[in-house]
Amino acid sequence: MKDQTVELLKEYGINPTSQRVRIYDYLASGQGHPTVDEIYAVLQRDGHLFSRATVYNTVNLFLEKGLIHNVKVEANETRYDITSAFHAHFKCTSCGALFDIEMEEPLMADTAGFRVDRTSLVFSGQCPVCQAKAAEV
Amino acid sequence: MKDQTVELLKEYGINPTSQRVRIYDYLASGQGHPTVDEIYAVLQRDGHLFSRATVYNTVNLFLEKGLIHNVKVEANETRYDITSAFHAHFKCTSCGALFDIEMEEPLMADTAGFRVDRTSLVFSGQCPVCQAKAAEV
DNA sequence: TTTGTTATTAGAATTATTCCAATAACATAA
DNA sequence: TTATGTTATTGGAATAATTCTAATAACAAA
């Protein structure tokens, strides 16, 4: 187990079990924005056999502790993202790919007593590749 | 059936059946941001008996034609919104309420070849009422 | 009327997620 | 060490949102 991850989880008040460390490491390895199913499948494939329920428990725990975020674009498609500086997302409606977009966090115009804890900004449309493909035809 | 709605649906290339007109009218009546289930329940209650599948078909058609938008915050909670000028949403994580927030549409910093068709901006945190409640205790 | 197209319907199927009860892992106390 | 308590994991059942499917209904055109 990665000591670095163990320490990080502890910092966030999370008991660093082997499953949790593995799930975190996978999220941190930068494989895009996996769904629970993708996380489960990869860890299964790599012989770390455990339950789908554990993946749900773990990502929910990470979310709660603010270690990761999620992005919902399609119904039935919740993807997870390790926390870092704010960034927006771009979802291509043709190929389904999800991109990170570096930009400043938009602030709520008139907060009027609302306390904003989190900002989710998702653009959708067509990515350059799909536009090129569409133009070819 | 509302002639006005019939005309509007035609403009968007949608065959204005009675179910579709009723669903649109309900969305336009400004009852917050209903889920499919809420739309279904209300129309059932009012004696317009029809199928849940029709509600799904219809909102998906409206979405496709750009007549409405959807907002996803929680998993298993897709809410619908009639299209109008851009506005952000605020989701209260305590009481679950969803608010419209009038503000300017944030633009993607460096579009870099991406074609943006839609922007979804959702703030989340605590609404004034829930903050007041939390402070009382 | 006949034919073809489109819309609606009920219910089955699928899928994501949560729940639950049993077990395992681990730490602490005696 | 053993006993005890707490927390985590597990597989499978349960739930809920959504889509699919095949039959029928509605409607328009020929």
Side-chain angles (χ1 to χ4, degrees):
Chain A
M1 287 207 297
K2 254 195 192 165
D3 288 351
Q4 207 183 337
T5 307
V6 169
E7 286 313 309
L8 181 71
L9 296 189
K10 279 184 189 164
E11 267 173 46
Y12 277 82
I14 294 168
N15 186 4
T17 64
S18 70
Q19 288 88 337
R20 289 169 176 175
V21 171
R22 288 214 173 88
I23 290 170
Y24 183 86
D25 284 341
Y26 178 63
L27 286 167
S29 70
Q31 310 297 316
H33 306 77
T35 60
V36 161
D37 241 50
E38 285 164 8
I39 300 169
Y40 175 73
V42 166
L43 295 181
Q44 282 275 311
R45 171 165 56 73
D46 294 353
H48 310 308
L49 288 162
F50 43 54
S51 152
R52 206 173 241 103
T54 300
V55 184
Y56 277 103
N57 292 339
T58 303
V59 294
N60 286 337
L61 178 67
F62 286 177
L63 272 179
E64 201 183 292
K65 298 289 185 179
L67 206 56
I68 63 175
H69 284 331
N70 56 15
V71 196
K72 290 171 227 276
V73 193
E74 302 303 318
N76 305 337
E77 187 183 298
T78 305
R79 299 185 164 274
Y80 297 87
D81 209 3
I82 62 168
T83 298
S84 58
F86 172 84
H87 57 271
H89 289 100
F90 181 94
K91 167 84 179 185
C92 177
T93 49
S94 299
C95 67
L98 188 65
F99 302 85
D100 283 337
I101 302 294
E102 298 305 331
M103 61 178 283
E104 255 185 66
E105 180 169 355
L107 298 177
M108 211 166 110
D110 173 15
T111 50
F114 289 92
R115 195 194 70 223
V116 176
D117 294 331
R118 199 192 154 210
T119 302
S120 159
L121 175 57
V122 183
F123 298 101
S124 49
Q126 224 173 10
C127 73
V129 175
C130 289
Q131 281 178 68
K133 269 188 202 155
E136 269 176 37
V137 186
Chain B
M1 288 207 296
K2 255 193 192 166
D3 287 350
Q4 206 183 338
T5 307
V6 169
E7 285 313 308
L8 181 71
L9 296 190
K10 279 184 190 165
E11 266 173 47
Y12 277 81
I14 296 168
N15 187 2
T17 65
S18 69
Q19 287 89 340
R20 288 170 177 173
V21 171
R22 287 209 173 92
I23 291 171
Y24 183 86
D25 284 342
Y26 178 62
L27 286 166
S29 70
Q31 311 294 317
H33 306 76
T35 61
V36 162
D37 240 50
E38 285 163 8
I39 300 169
Y40 175 73
V42 166
L43 295 183
Q44 282 274 312
R45 169 164 60 69
D46 293 356
H48 311 307
L49 290 161
F50 44 57
S51 152
R52 208 173 240 102
T54 300
V55 183
Y56 277 102
N57 292 339
T58 303
V59 294
N60 286 338
L61 178 66
F62 287 177
L63 272 178
E64 201 182 290
K65 299 288 186 179
L67 208 56
I68 63 175
H69 283 333
N70 57 12
V71 196
K72 291 169 227 279
V73 193
E74 303 303 320
N76 304 337
E77 187 184 299
T78 306
R79 299 186 164 273
Y80 296 87
D81 209 5
I82 62 167
T83 299
S84 57
F86 172 85
H87 57 272
H89 289 102
F90 182 93
K91 168 81 180 186
C92 178
T93 49
S94 299
C95 67
L98 188 65
F99 301 86
D100 283 336
I101 303 294
E102 299 304 331
M103 62 179 281
E104 253 183 67
E105 180 169 356
L107 298 178
M108 211 167 111
D110 174 14
T111 50
F114 289 92
R115 194 193 70 223
V116 176
D117 294 330
R118 201 194 152 206
T119 302
S120 157
L121 175 57
V122 183
F123 297 102
S124 49
Q126 223 172 10
C127 73
V129 174
C130 288
Q131 280 180 69
K133 270 187 200 154
E136 270 176 37
V137 184

